[in-house]
Amino acid sequence: MTVSLPLVFDAPRRGMPPRHLADLDAEGRRAAVEELGLPKFRADQIARQYYGRLQADPEQMTDLPAPVREKIGEALFPPLMSVVKHVACDGGETRKTLWRAGDGTLLESVLMRYPDRATLCISSQAGCGMACPFCATGQGGLNRNLSTAEIVDQVRAAAAAMRDGEVAGGPGRLSNIVFMGMGEPLANYKRVVAAVRRITSPSPDGFGISQRNVVVSTVGLAPAIRKLADEDLSVTLAVSLHTPDDELRDTLVPVNNRWAVAEVLDAARYYADKSGRRVSIEYALIRDINDQPWRADMLGQKLHKALGSRVHVNVIPLNPTPGSKWDASPKPVETEFVRRVNAQGVPCTVRDTRGQEIAAACGQLAAEG
Ligand code: SF4
């Protein structure tokens, strides 16, 4: 299948940014501070500024003497990314940010405020190498992995924006993180797991967001799912299945040629067993492609068999990308699909699709640059 979309990430592959405080765990940052000839206690003091006060500018860390601020600024706070633009919709309750990293790489995050929570959707890679044909990001290929700090700093910036009342509804707290922006998180495994630890550890090691409020998504890299299960985290795993049969999935999610549906579901069961968490199954419903009643039945049956009650299906009405032949399913087809999956004893709901009007399918804002 071919989709004609402009190549977004046509720049040459570039390198990672220099080391940043958020790349380091507690031991690493103490070692870095000692390398600078500073006493160890400064390490936690600096981390408290970053993770607790959400301060990324050493000049503003006024509890540090000026010479220390200068030293740590150079060594631990290289400029990471700058805002290219913010785009708001849903009455200001959704805000998408396009970032430019130091080497020009573009990435994006989306902050969504709901009555009971504020969720940030973050990117783990610039571009994506998984080549799903219905996805804008997939069309441009992988530019590069993001560093741990580039992932973590998306969270810091959003937490500060919530605290400072930059999102409609007044000051609030960032409560949920979903790794569902650009990229395949498990293809950048080590940095993503390190970022999850910074996001969920209590201050001074992280932002203290509950693991239960973090979702890591994947297209189904089965060995990496098993590895994640062995990390003993209690984050939610979301598997982008999009169809229950290998024949179609080989095309819709090309990585299926490597790890087929049965293998992916096996790994998902292992994750559910180890974490005690329900696995989310993501299903982008595409008109006349994967929305047939028989596929709904097959999906429900396969999931029930593999995961019993430890699964939930999120049906996502496809947000068509510009110039694409793919389209969302009509409402009655969607309703029937959901009914059939539920009839197999598998809970299935339609995901609220925030940000449609600001091109919020992953990668679209960067695509429009
Ligand atoms: S749908 Fe996700 S995994 Fe597939 S190409 Fe797009 S960003 Fe990558």
Side-chain angles (χ1 to χ4, degrees):
M1 278 184 229
T2 52
V3 179
S4 55
L5 279 173
L7 271 187
V8 184
F9 301 106
D10 52 359
R13 281 170 189 254
R14 304 146 176 165
M16 287 280 167
R19 178 185 71 173
H20 184 280
L21 178 87
D23 288 314
L24 305 172
D25 60 12
E27 209 177 299
R29 71 173 181 259
R30 275 175 213 135
V33 160
E34 280 188 311
E35 269 168 36
L36 296 173
L38 298 172
K40 265 193 196 170
F41 76 88
R42 293 284 184 214
D44 284 0
Q45 193 181 7
I46 297 161
R48 246 176 248 118
Q49 283 278 0
Y50 183 81
Y51 294 110
R53 294 196 196 160
L54 309 173
Q55 183 55 261
D57 177 3
E59 280 311 307
Q60 305 300 318
M61 299 180 183
T62 47
D63 58 342
L64 295 166
V68 173
R69 299 207 289 259
E70 201 176 315
K71 258 188 180 175
I72 61 145
E74 277 169 20
L76 290 173
F77 291 93
L80 279 180
M81 356 185 243
S82 54
V83 174
V84 178
K85 61 179 171 183
H86 294 298
V87 185
C89 73
D90 301 321
E93 291 191 331
T94 298
R95 187 173 84 159
K96 187 155 182 164
T97 304
L98 178 64
W99 301 96
R100 180 176 287 117
D103 63 350
T105 295
L106 295 173
L107 59 128
E108 58 190 18
S109 39
V110 187
L111 181 54
M112 294 157 283
R113 185 176 205 151
Y114 299 91
D116 59 336
R117 67 190 191 279
T119 300
L120 181 70
C121 175
I122 56 177
S123 296
S124 56
Q125 298 183 306
C128 182
M130 297 295 140
C132 305
F134 56 88
C135 161
T137 304
Q139 306 317 305
L142 176 65
N143 181 354
R144 68 165 167 84
N145 284 323
L146 299 186
S147 70
T148 299
E150 285 170 327
I151 300 169
V152 170
D153 210 53
Q154 294 172 58
V155 177
R156 184 204 56 79
M162 283 301 296
R163 176 197 61 193
D164 299 341
E166 288 176 23
V167 178
R173 200 177 66 82
L174 179 65
S175 57
N176 294 59
I177 305 296
V178 296
F179 282 78
M180 291 187 173
M182 298 165 77
E184 161 56 44
L186 298 187
N188 188 14
Y189 185 87
K190 264 168 64 181
R191 296 180 194 89
V192 164
V193 169
V196 167
R197 295 198 191 281
R198 307 280 187 279
I199 290 165
T200 58
S201 299
S203 179
D205 297 324
F207 300 114
I209 292 175
S210 164
Q211 286 189 11
R212 304 178 83 84
N213 290 353
V214 174
V215 179
V216 175
S217 73
T218 178
V219 277
L221 312 190
I225 292 174
R226 290 175 179 273
K227 204 166 154 196
L228 186 69
D230 291 335
E231 303 279 351
D232 286 328
L233 294 166
S234 52
V235 298
T236 297
L237 176 75
V239 178
S240 300
L241 203 63
H242 302 322
T243 189
D245 56 305
D246 286 320
E247 199 187 345
L248 175 59
R249 198 166 190 269
D250 280 348
T251 315
L252 268 192
V253 185
V255 78
N256 195 71
N257 289 285
R258 190 128 168 235
W259 296 291
V261 171
E263 248 179 302
V264 174
L265 293 184
D266 246 22
R269 178 175 42 213
Y270 182 69
Y271 190 87
D273 286 347
K274 289 281 288 190
S275 66
R277 307 281 293 153
R278 217 154 61 151
V279 171
S280 281
I281 298 292
E282 309 298 305
Y283 201 104
L285 207 60
I286 312 173
R287 182 200 287 258
D288 298 334
I289 301 284
N290 64 353
D291 60 357
Q292 300 81 357
W294 69 265
R295 279 206 162 88
D297 297 343
M298 183 195 265
L299 178 71
Q301 284 155 8
K302 284 197 178 182
L303 291 179
H304 191 73
K305 191 162 170 236
L307 287 149
S309 57
R310 293 167 309 165
V311 64
H312 182 274
V313 178
N314 287 310
V315 165
I316 308 151
L318 186 81
N319 185 11
T321 60
S324 165
K325 64 179 181 186
W326 311 93
D327 201 1
S329 301
K331 205 70 197 160
V333 174
E334 176 189 285
T335 306
E336 176 62 5
F337 192 93
V338 169
R339 189 193 69 74
R340 283 178 177 258
V341 177
N342 274 301
Q344 299 294 334
V346 170
C348 176
T349 48
V350 178
R351 158 95 53 79
D352 160 31
T353 47
R354 277 287 187 100
Q356 290 270 10
E357 69 198 71
I358 52 166
C362 64
Q364 281 186 175
L365 194 66
E368 289 167 4

